[in-house]
């Protein structure tokens, strides 16, 4: 039987009966829990290997679609600001074509919470076939994306709590993905601290030119 309005949830066990204060508390709690759980699950030796691969690569390519593009776009902006060449195309077809252009000196990072998004999995497989080092960021270590990757950074699964109704995907998975991107970016940036500071200064000039005075 269909859930009644009283039992229906559209976002992280938030229902019609919740007040604004209750909604705020639930969202804050779930976001903090997601960050803590993901931090606890992170395979730090693997993070070091991925950071080392990013350090050596001549091109860092990202693959994502839907809301996972938030993590990909954030990564491109941050890595480019410290001097790392990056590539990301929102269009699925162009992503798959671009994957075929990668090589042994490239690193391909695919972001998908479920790890089952066909276009993203196919792009990572194509990148691997082209010789690139492949990295998956997903909540499911046994997903097709994980199987297509040389290394898998596992985040906290974006699942509803036990016994709760089905709900639309929230931002929780994105919080976990952004945490992973922040760690990888920071590891690279501090390893090249002088270059990073200079590149940030250089790009600040460009950014300032786009703002009203």
């Amino acid at each position: 039987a269909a859930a009644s309005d009283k039992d229906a949830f559209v976002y992280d066990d938030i229902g019609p009966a919740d007040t604004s204060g209750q909604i705020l508390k639930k969202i804050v709690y779930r976001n903090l829990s997601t960050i803590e759980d993901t931090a606890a699950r992170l395979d730090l030796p693997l993070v070091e290997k991925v950071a080392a691969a990013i350090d050596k690569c001549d091109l860092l390519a990202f693959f994502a679609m839907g809301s996972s593009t938030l993590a990909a776009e954030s990564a491109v902006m941050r890595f480019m600001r410290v001097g790392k060449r990056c590539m990301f195309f929102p269009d699925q077809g162009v992503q798959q074509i671009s994957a075929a252009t990668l090589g042994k000196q490239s690193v391909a990072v695919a972001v998908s919470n479920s790890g089952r998004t066909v276009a993203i999995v196919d792009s990572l497989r194509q990148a691997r076939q082209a010789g690139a080092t492949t990295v998956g960021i997903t909540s499911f270590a046994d997903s097709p994306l994980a199987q297509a990757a040389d290394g898998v950074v596992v985040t906290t699964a974006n699942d509803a709590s036990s016994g709760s109704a089905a709900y639309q995907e929230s931002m929780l998975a994105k919080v976990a993905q952004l945490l992973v991107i922040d760690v990888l970016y920071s590891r690279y940036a501090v390893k090249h601290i002088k270059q990073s500071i200079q590149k940030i200064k250089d790009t600040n000039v460009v950014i300032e030119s786009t703002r009203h005075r």
Side-chain angles (χ1 to χ4, degrees):
S4 67
D5 288 345
K6 183 179 68 174
D7 298 324
F9 300 101
V10 294
Y11 180 92
D12 299 327
D13 296 337
I14 293 172
D18 288 323
T19 65
S20 295
Q22 290 170 326
I23 289 172
L24 175 61
K25 287 181 180 179
K26 286 184 177 182
I27 292 176
V28 169
Y29 172 77
R30 292 294 296 273
N31 275 270
L32 291 175
S33 295
T34 296
I35 291 173
E36 292 172 351
D37 291 347
T38 298
R41 294 183 70 180
L42 276 184
D43 181 342
L44 295 182
L46 174 60
V47 168
E48 287 293 327
K49 289 182 180 179
V50 173
I54 291 173
D55 184 32
K56 297 176 182 177
C57 77
D58 62 4
L59 179 63
L60 180 56
F62 290 90
F63 301 89
M65 63 177 291
S67 54
S68 290
T69 60
L70 292 172
E73 290 174 344
S74 174
V76 168
M77 182 188 71
R78 303 197 74 187
F79 277 104
M80 286 185 68
R81 289 207 64 192
V82 292
K84 175 59 68 174
R85 289 182 60 230
C86 295
M87 179 174 74
F88 173 63
F89 298 100
D91 182 271
Q92 296 176 39
V94 178
Q95 282 193 51
Q96 291 176 301
I97 292 170
S98 69
T101 70
L102 302 181
K104 293 182 179 179
Q105 299 302 313
S106 307
V107 170
V109 180
V111 187
S112 171
N113 180 54
S114 69
R116 299 193 304 271
T117 305
V118 174
I120 304 309
V121 174
D122 287 351
S123 292
L124 198 65
R125 286 172 178 162
Q126 184 64 58
R128 192 175 190 179
Q129 186 176 346
T133 298
T134 53
V135 179
I137 299 177
T138 178
S139 290
F140 301 93
D142 59 350
S143 64
L145 183 70
Q147 295 168 11
D150 295 312
V152 186
V153 182
V154 182
T155 59
T156 296
N158 187 29
D159 292 333
S161 59
S162 177
S164 65
Y167 67 104
Q168 298 176 358
E169 184 177 357
S170 74
M171 285 296 295
L172 293 176
K174 314 316 152 199
V175 170
Q177 292 167 358
L178 287 168
L179 173 63
V180 171
I181 293 298
D182 276 354
V183 172
L184 292 174
Y185 158 79
S186 298
R187 190 70 188 91
Y188 175 83
V190 297
K191 187 173 182 179
H192 303 278
I193 187 68
K194 290 184 179 180
Q195 170 189 296
S196 297
I197 291 174
Q198 185 57 52
K199 291 294 183 180
I200 289 173
K201 288 180 179 178
D202 293 342
T203 53
N204 273 342
V205 175
V206 177
I207 292 172
E208 285 299 321
S209 70
T210 67
R211 293 174 176 167
H212 287 292
R213 298 182 183 280

